[in-house]
Amino acid sequence: MTWDALYSSAFDRVRESIGRVGRVLLAYNTNIDAIKYLDPKDLEERVEKAGKEEVFRFSEELPKKITSVEHLLGGILWSVRRGKAAELFVESCLVRFYMKKWGWDELRMGGQVGIMANLLGGVYNVPVIAHVPQLSRLQAELFKDGPIYVPKLEDGKLKLVHPKAFQADEENLIHYIYEFPRGFKVFDFEAPRENRFIGSADDYNPNVCIRPEFKEAFEEIAGKVELAIISGLQALTKENYKEPFEELERHLEVLGEREIPVHLEFAFTPDETVRKRLVEVLGRFTSVGLNEVELASIMEVLGEKAIAEKLLAHDPVDPIAVTEATLKLAERTGVKRIHFHTYGYYLALTDYKGAHVRDALLFAALAAAAKAKLGDVRSIDDVVKAMDVPVNEKAKAVEEKLVEEYGMKDGIAEVNGYQLSFAPTKIVAKPKSTVGIGDTISSSAFVGEFALR
Ligand code: 8BR
Ligand code: 8BR
Ligand code: GLC
């Protein structure tokens, strides 16, 4: 079959069956994204004013957190020069005030949980229970209508309400997203690809502050769901990870007892201690989603330096190196499903078989293209509009390698007793923005796969 035909039949089948998926638990990170599309002249003036020399220093080496305007501007230049994403915690209130005055073009739902809640609940009509660390009025307004719920305790009794009906006046947790297009020029730098720098002016998500409702009523909450997706552990550090990890392990135990499949959305985790701990608990998850940088960073902590280097050496990433890395990760941790995504293609390694794994990847690729094209996916019909985005040309060579090495057919092969599923993706030439595409991919594929089972 051609990829166009496979795409089209995968979409039809997921659309037909996704309504049958039960409630999905989403924890832990939700915030408000204040998106600023950078203007080169404005940015240059700000850098000059703050002191070019000092700022340029941080554009060579990213600071660990932001405690000055020089850190902020240096971090933005670090991302622009490399065309890479980065996210840093903003500790200083003066810098938080500076960012607020600098302003934004658009406010959007942010955080893996918030983005997935709006997509699953607001677009696919799959009911979700979300962890929202702080429910300000603005945060509540950013939730779409649909079966999206947050737990509320009334006289010790658990109720599930839409975030807009929670009616609390909690804090605004704002992440400032500085987006730039490919070819964006400042000073002598030119961005090799579109991307963003994020400054998180937020004390709750970076510390994974878990709400009392989730601590007190977790057993009951877990009793109401069929699937779970965990995210937001990426900003933890060796100083603050212990407490949230204890709670996480308790949650995993409760979910495990009920045999609820749990997906971990990995996200780039700069702190090595935290990354190691995440790999240690990975076997208690059913599934994990990650990109090439994240997979390479895991190979590093597993002592697999050579594979880590291979993963970062080519564009598009060598699929044989990806397969070897995911096999190592599956064998070492016992995780049953690994969903790898990169610019141009996805691979999933599963310890079970079936064409539905590949079909869910194709559905996810359509959703990602719709997200890149529109910025916000409003309905499942927006997803099908991405059908006319062409399949990435470079993915052909990737597929040929997989055919040669593993005898892959129609995107499916067997490797060391695992199934390897492949999807060449649709790439939007001029994406509206880049933030949240990874979340769209992982949640669509994980939930889509369960819909098809
Ligand atoms: P993409 O650019 O393809 O989205 O991949 C994630 C990138 O983010 C990685 O290259 C990683 O280096 C970078 N990154 C992030 Br996110 N946060 C970072 C941080 N705090 N320090 C260094 N790099 C970071
Ligand atoms: P991460 O931020 O987790 O790396 O997720 C980003 C993913 O979005 C990439 O792996 C890539 O598959 C997808 N993507 C990007 Br980046 N740009 C895209 C585009 N213009 N069209 C479709 N998918 C895109
Ligand atoms: C991280 C950021 C958040 C953003 C999300 C997108 O969670 O903190 O601001 O919305 O990534 O994936």
Side-chain angles (χ1 to χ4, degrees), residues 314-332:
H314 296 284
D315 176 40
V317 189
D318 175 10
I320 311 304
V322 174
T323 307
E324 283 171 13
T326 51
L327 274 172
K328 281 211 188 314
L329 189 59
E331 282 160 1
R332 300 260 290 254

Side-chain angles (χ1 to χ4, degrees), residues 85 193-196 265 267 290-292 294 341-346 365 368-369 372-373 389 425-431 434 436-439 441:
R193 56 163 278 207
E194 62 279 1
N195 224 319
R196 77 278 173 173
E265 187 53 18
L290 35 70
N291 70 15
E292 66 281 12
E294 291 146 16
H341 61 83
T342 188
Y343 202 82
Y345 72 92
Y346 311 153
K373 198 169 158 180
V389 176
T425 63
K426 294 173 175 283
I427 294 286
V428 175
K430 281 208 174 110
T434 63
I437 304 182
D439 310 334
I441 296 170

Side-chain angles (χ1 to χ4, degrees), residues 211-402:
R211 292 190 71 96
E213 296 88 340
F214 274 74
K215 289 193 173 157
E216 287 163 33
F218 193 77
E219 280 80 1
E220 206 182 335
I221 295 171
K224 295 181 184 296
V225 303
E226 190 170 280
L227 292 174
I229 302 179
I230 303 279
S231 62
L233 304 160
Q234 64 269 16
L236 290 171
T237 65
K238 61 176 179 302
E239 285 82 27
N240 67 0
Y241 80 95
K242 287 209 174 100
E243 228 183 276
F245 256 76
E246 265 175 36
E247 192 67 12
L248 165 72
E249 293 195 73
R250 189 175 78 83
H251 291 181
L252 286 174
E253 208 166 291
V254 173
L255 294 165
E257 278 164 10
R258 296 176 182 273
E259 292 180 19
I260 295 165
V262 189
H263 173 86
L264 173 69
E265 187 53 18
F266 196 84
F268 186 71
T269 309
D271 190 292
E272 264 197 34
T273 309
V274 178
R275 210 185 306 146
K276 275 190 190 141
R277 284 292 289 131
L278 276 175
V279 175
E280 277 168 24
V281 297
L282 198 58
R284 300 173 64 183
F285 289 89
T286 314
S287 166
V288 60
L290 35 70
N291 70 15
E292 66 281 12
V293 180
E294 291 146 16
L295 185 58
S297 75
I298 291 180
M299 288 300 118
E300 291 231 341
V301 299
L302 288 180
E304 301 283 354
K305 283 237 155 52
I307 299 193
E309 273 167 30
K310 260 204 238 164
L311 287 169
L312 300 176
H314 296 284
D315 176 40
V317 189
D318 175 10
I320 311 304
V322 174
T323 307
E324 283 171 13
T326 51
L327 274 172
K328 281 211 188 314
L329 189 59
E331 282 160 1
R332 300 260 290 254
T333 63
V335 69
K336 293 181 171 59
R337 174 180 182 274
I338 301 174
H339 176 184
F340 170 86
H341 61 83
T342 188
Y343 202 82
Y345 72 92
Y346 311 153
L347 278 178
L349 187 82
T350 48
D351 80 352
Y352 48 87
K353 300 190 167 50
H356 64 298
V357 181
R358 176 206 59 204
D359 288 346
L361 297 184
L362 292 170
F363 173 72
L366 269 187
K371 174 87 178 169
K373 198 169 158 180
L374 305 168
D376 181 43
V377 181
R378 293 152 309 178
S379 71
I380 204 151
D381 293 324
D382 275 350
V383 175
V384 76
K385 278 186 204 142
M387 272 302 288
D388 62 4
V389 176
V391 169
N392 181 271
E393 268 305 312
K394 289 183 184 166
K396 264 216 178 71
V398 173
E399 187 181 3
E400 277 161 16
K401 272 194 186 166
L402 291 165

Side-chain angles (χ1 to χ4, degrees), residues 84-127:
K84 277 194 174 194
E87 175 166 355
L88 293 177
F89 170 59
V90 184
E91 192 174 66
S92 147
C93 41
L94 283 175
V95 181
R96 289 184 183 189
F97 192 43
Y98 177 95
M99 297 193 297
K100 187 162 190 189
K101 281 199 299 184
W102 193 356
W104 52 81
D105 299 299
E106 214 178 302
L107 289 176
R108 269 203 223 159
M109 176 60 83
Q112 273 77 32
V113 168
I115 293 169
M116 292 179 185
N118 271 351
L119 181 70
L120 298 177
V123 179
Y124 301 159
N125 212 27
V126 170

